[in-house]
Coordinates of all heavy atoms in Angstrom, one line a residue:
K229 N 0.8 -1.2 0.0 CA 0.0 0.0 -0.1 C 0.8 1.2 0.0 O 0.6 2.2 -0.8 CB -0.9 0.0 1.2 CG -1.9 1.2 1.2 CD -2.8 1.0 2.4 CE -3.8 2.2 2.5 NZ -4.7 2.1 3.6
N230 N 1.9 1.2 0.9 CA 2.8 2.5 1.0 C 3.5 2.7 -0.3 O 3.6 4.0 -0.7 CB 3.7 2.3 2.1 CG 3.2 2.1 3.5 OD1 1.9 2.5 3.6 ND2 3.8 1.7 4.4
L231 N 3.9 1.7 -1.1 CA 4.7 1.9 -2.2 C 3.8 1.9 -3.6 O 4.3 2.0 -4.7 CB 5.7 0.9 -2.4 CG 6.8 0.9 -1.3 CD1 7.6 -0.4 -1.4 CD2 7.7 2.1 -1.4
N232 N 2.5 1.8 -3.3 CA 1.6 1.6 -4.4 C 1.9 0.6 -5.4 O 2.0 0.8 -6.7 CB 1.4 3.0 -5.2 CG 0.2 3.0 -6.2 OD1 -0.7 2.3 -6.0 ND2 0.5 3.7 -7.2
I233 N 2.2 -0.7 -5.0 CA 2.6 -1.8 -5.8 C 1.7 -2.9 -5.8 O 1.8 -3.8 -6.6 CB 4.1 -2.3 -5.6 CG1 4.2 -2.7 -4.1 CG2 5.1 -1.1 -5.8 CD1 5.6 -3.3 -3.8
L234 N 0.8 -2.9 -4.8 CA -0.1 -4.0 -4.6 C -1.5 -3.5 -4.2 O -1.5 -2.7 -3.2 CB 0.4 -5.1 -3.5 CG -0.4 -6.3 -3.3 CD1 -0.5 -7.1 -4.5 CD2 0.2 -7.0 -2.1
D235 N -2.5 -3.9 -4.9 CA -3.9 -3.3 -4.5 C -4.9 -4.5 -4.4 O -5.4 -4.9 -5.4 CB -4.3 -2.4 -5.7 CG -5.5 -1.5 -5.2 OD1 -6.3 -2.1 -4.4 OD2 -5.7 -0.4 -5.7
M236 N -4.9 -5.1 -3.3 CA -5.8 -6.2 -3.1 C -7.4 -5.8 -3.2 O -8.1 -6.5 -3.5 CB -5.5 -6.9 -1.7 CG -4.2 -7.4 -1.5 SD -3.8 -8.7 -2.7 CE -5.0 -10.0 -2.3
E237 N -7.6 -4.6 -2.7 CA -9.0 -4.1 -2.7 C -9.6 -4.0 -4.2 O -10.7 -4.6 -4.4 CB -9.2 -2.7 -2.0 CG -8.9 -2.8 -0.5 CD -7.5 -2.8 -0.2 OE1 -6.6 -2.6 -1.0 OE2 -7.2 -3.2 1.1
R238 N -8.8 -3.5 -5.1 CA -9.3 -3.3 -6.4 C -9.3 -4.7 -7.1 O -10.1 -5.0 -8.0 CB -8.4 -2.3 -7.2 CG -8.8 -0.8 -6.8 CD -8.2 0.1 -7.7 NE -8.6 1.5 -7.4 CZ -8.0 2.5 -6.9 NH1 -6.7 2.2 -6.6 NH2 -8.4 3.6 -6.7
G239 N -8.3 -5.5 -6.7 CA -8.3 -6.9 -7.2 C -9.6 -7.6 -6.9 O -10.3 -8.4 -7.7
S240 N -10.1 -7.5 -5.6 CA -11.3 -8.0 -5.2 C -12.5 -7.4 -5.8 O -13.5 -8.1 -6.2 CB -11.5 -7.8 -3.7 OG -10.5 -8.5 -2.9
K241 N -12.4 -6.2 -6.1 CA -13.6 -5.5 -6.9 C -13.7 -6.1 -8.3 O -14.8 -6.3 -8.8 CB -13.3 -4.0 -7.0 CG -14.4 -3.2 -7.8 CD -14.2 -1.7 -7.6 CE -12.9 -1.3 -8.3 NZ -12.8 0.3 -8.4
I242 N -12.6 -6.4 -9.0 CA -12.7 -7.0 -10.3 C -13.0 -8.5 -10.3 O -13.9 -8.8 -11.1 CB -11.2 -6.8 -11.0 CG1 -10.8 -5.4 -11.0 CG2 -11.2 -7.6 -12.3 CD1 -9.3 -5.2 -11.4
S243 N -12.5 -9.2 -9.3 CA -12.7 -10.7 -9.5 C -13.1 -11.4 -8.2 O -13.4 -12.6 -8.2 CB -11.3 -11.4 -9.9 OG -10.9 -10.8 -11.1
G244 N -13.1 -10.7 -7.1 CA -13.5 -11.3 -5.9 C -12.2 -11.5 -5.0 O -11.1 -11.2 -5.5
S245 N -12.3 -11.9 -3.7 CA -11.2 -12.0 -2.9 C -10.2 -13.1 -3.4 O -10.7 -14.1 -4.0 CB -11.6 -12.3 -1.4 OG -12.3 -13.7 -1.5
G246 N -9.0 -12.9 -3.2 CA -8.0 -13.9 -3.5 C -7.5 -13.7 -4.9 O -6.8 -14.6 -5.5
F247 N -7.6 -12.5 -5.5 CA -7.1 -12.3 -6.8 C -6.4 -10.8 -6.8 O -6.8 -9.8 -6.8 CB -8.2 -12.1 -7.9 CG -8.9 -13.4 -8.2 CD1 -10.0 -13.8 -7.3 CD2 -8.5 -14.2 -9.1 CE1 -10.7 -15.0 -7.7 CE2 -9.1 -15.4 -9.5 CZ -10.2 -15.9 -8.7
P248 N -5.0 -11.0 -6.6 CA -4.2 -9.8 -6.3 C -4.1 -8.9 -7.7 O -4.1 -9.5 -8.7 CB -2.9 -10.3 -6.0 CG -2.8 -11.7 -6.4 CD -4.2 -12.2 -6.4
L249 N -3.9 -7.6 -7.5 CA -3.7 -6.7 -8.6 C -2.5 -6.1 -8.3 O -2.2 -5.3 -7.4 CB -4.8 -5.6 -8.6 CG -4.7 -4.6 -9.7 CD1 -5.0 -5.2 -11.0 CD2 -5.7 -3.4 -9.5
Y250 N -1.4 -6.4 -9.1 CA 0.0 -5.8 -9.0 C 0.0 -4.6 -9.8 O -0.5 -4.5 -11.0 CB 1.0 -6.8 -9.7 CG 1.1 -8.1 -8.9 CD1 0.4 -9.2 -9.4 CD2 1.7 -8.3 -7.7 CE1 0.3 -10.4 -8.7 CE2 1.7 -9.5 -7.0 CZ 1.1 -10.6 -7.5 OH 1.1 -11.8 -6.9
V251 N 0.5 -3.5 -9.3 CA 0.5 -2.2 -9.8 C 2.0 -1.6 -10.1 O 2.8 -1.9 -9.1 CB -0.3 -1.2 -8.9 CG1 -0.4 0.2 -9.5 CG2 -1.8 -1.7 -8.7
N252 N 2.1 -0.9 -11.1 CA 3.4 -0.2 -11.2 C 4.6 -0.9 -11.0 O 4.8 -2.0 -11.7 CB 3.3 1.1 -10.3 CG 4.4 2.2 -10.7 OD1 5.0 2.1 -11.8 ND2 4.6 3.1 -9.8
H253 N 5.4 -0.7 -10.1 CA 6.6 -1.4 -9.8 C 6.4 -2.8 -9.2 O 7.2 -3.7 -9.3 CB 7.5 -0.7 -8.8 CG 8.1 0.6 -9.5 ND1 8.8 0.7 -10.8 CD2 8.1 1.9 -9.0 CE1 9.0 1.9 -10.9 NE2 8.7 2.7 -10.0
G254 N 5.2 -3.0 -8.7 CA 4.7 -4.4 -8.2 C 4.6 -5.2 -9.5 O 5.0 -6.5 -9.5
A255 N 3.9 -4.7 -10.5 CA 3.8 -5.5 -11.7 C 5.1 -5.8 -12.4 O 5.3 -6.9 -12.9 CB 2.8 -4.8 -12.8
R256 N 6.0 -4.8 -12.3 CA 7.3 -5.0 -12.9 C 8.1 -6.0 -12.1 O 8.9 -6.9 -12.7 CB 8.0 -3.6 -13.1 CG 9.4 -3.8 -13.8 CD 9.8 -2.4 -14.1 NE 10.9 -2.5 -15.0 CZ 11.4 -1.4 -15.8 NH1 10.9 -0.2 -15.5 NH2 12.5 -1.4 -16.4

């Protein structure tokens, strides 16, 4: 959360719980 590299909340919004959303340097 602090580094804006992992967004579990938006991953849950897209697919439900248990589906991580990697963001920016997290995806990289």
Side-chain angles (χ1 to χ4, degrees):
K229 184 176 182 180
N230 294 344
L231 296 171
N232 189 33
I233 58 175
L234 181 64
D235 193 333
M236 298 301 296
E237 290 77 13
R238 288 193 172 106
S240 296
K241 181 172 65 175
I242 296 167
S243 302
S245 62
F247 292 88
L249 182 69
Y250 300 97
V251 180
N252 196 14
H253 295 308
R256 190 164 186 170

